[in-house]
Amino acid sequence: MRTIEAVDTLLLGKPSASDGEKIWHLIKETGSLDLNSVYSYIMLCDIFRDTCLIAAEAGEAVGFISAYRRPDRPQTLFVWQVAVAGSMQGQGLGKRMLRELLARPENADIRCIEATIGPDNTASRRLFLGLAEEKGCEWSLTECYPAQLFPEASAHEPELLLRVGPFMNNK
Ligand code: 9YT
């Protein structure tokens, strides 16, 4: 008798410039995130690869975190977008990607995470508050970019600033 075991074929790693286009498609498909230019994703995957992460399965991008260290506070990681493909939602992939990103040796000195989220972005809210709980650290949610900042032609909901930390990132 043969036993068939579920094999985890998901690869989590640093992206490279050639992933930019795939990421653009992933963000487009999620439908809930702001779609930026392909160029911006290529740049993130190249210049900011130490703080970005791609999750790939069978050569397809199924998850992505774009993030960078704030220039004014380099120990704060600003997480720009967390994207999880529809087929992977509800499986904890966001959390797994975030943990993996923080566990990189080059990110060991990161003490805070910031992200802006729309009022209805419950997935991201759950992800970051889950991290705060796991790390036993403080968090706050404050107003950041009101809707009036965005042009009328591309109506946009307000962005709230979610801050998690300080924490010790030594896992
Ligand atoms: C954490 C996250 O995914 N924030 C989204 C920020 C913004 N609405 C965007 O870039 O889509």
Side-chain angles (χ1 to χ4, degrees):
M1 202 172 99
R2 253 167 22 115
T3 344
I4 299 169
E5 284 171 38
V7 180
D8 188 355
T9 52
L10 202 62
L11 295 173
L12 304 188
K14 289 188 190 183
S16 56
S18 59
D19 293 316
E21 188 191 343
K22 282 184 221 148
I23 302 298
W24 183 84
H25 283 288
L26 171 70
I27 305 289
K28 193 169 178 220
E29 275 152 29
T30 65
S32 55
L33 293 166
D34 292 316
L35 183 63
N36 301 300
S37 67
V38 184
Y39 176 69
S40 71
Y41 292 109
I42 293 173
M43 263 194 354
L44 284 163
C45 289
D46 182 22
I47 300 172
F48 297 93
R49 64 193 306 267
D50 282 356
T51 48
C52 291
L53 182 143
I54 182 172
E57 192 162 51
E60 292 295 314
V62 294
F64 184 61
I65 292 186
S66 52
Y68 55 85
R69 289 170 183 267
R70 281 190 61 131
D72 53 343
R73 283 182 273 118
Q75 288 185 306
T76 294
L77 184 70
F78 182 83
V79 177
W80 185 349
Q81 290 187 321
V82 179
V84 173
S87 61
M88 297 296 291
Q89 276 169 18
Q91 297 174 43
L93 179 57
K95 191 168 224 183
R96 193 167 155 192
M97 293 194 295
L98 195 54
R99 276 206 201 110
E100 182 87 10
L101 195 54
L102 290 173
R104 286 182 189 159
E106 54 273 57
N107 293 335
D109 62 327
I110 287 170
R111 294 287 171 267
C112 280
I113 284 187
E114 287 183 1
T116 72
I117 56 167
D120 301 328
N121 191 343
T122 45
S124 274
R125 197 182 284 223
R126 214 175 308 125
L127 169 68
F128 292 113
L129 298 193
L131 180 78
E133 193 171 8
E134 206 172 283
K135 301 223 174 258
C137 68
E138 311 234 313
W139 62 271
S140 63
L141 186 64
T142 50
E143 279 180 28
C144 187
Y145 302 130
Q148 305 88 273
L149 287 184
F150 299 92
E152 253 175 56
S154 60
H156 197 291
E157 54 186 9
E159 293 279 344
L160 308 171
L161 179 68
L162 187 49
R163 188 155 210 275
V164 173
F167 52 78
M168 289 306 288
N169 171 32
N170 50 8
K171 279 190 196 162

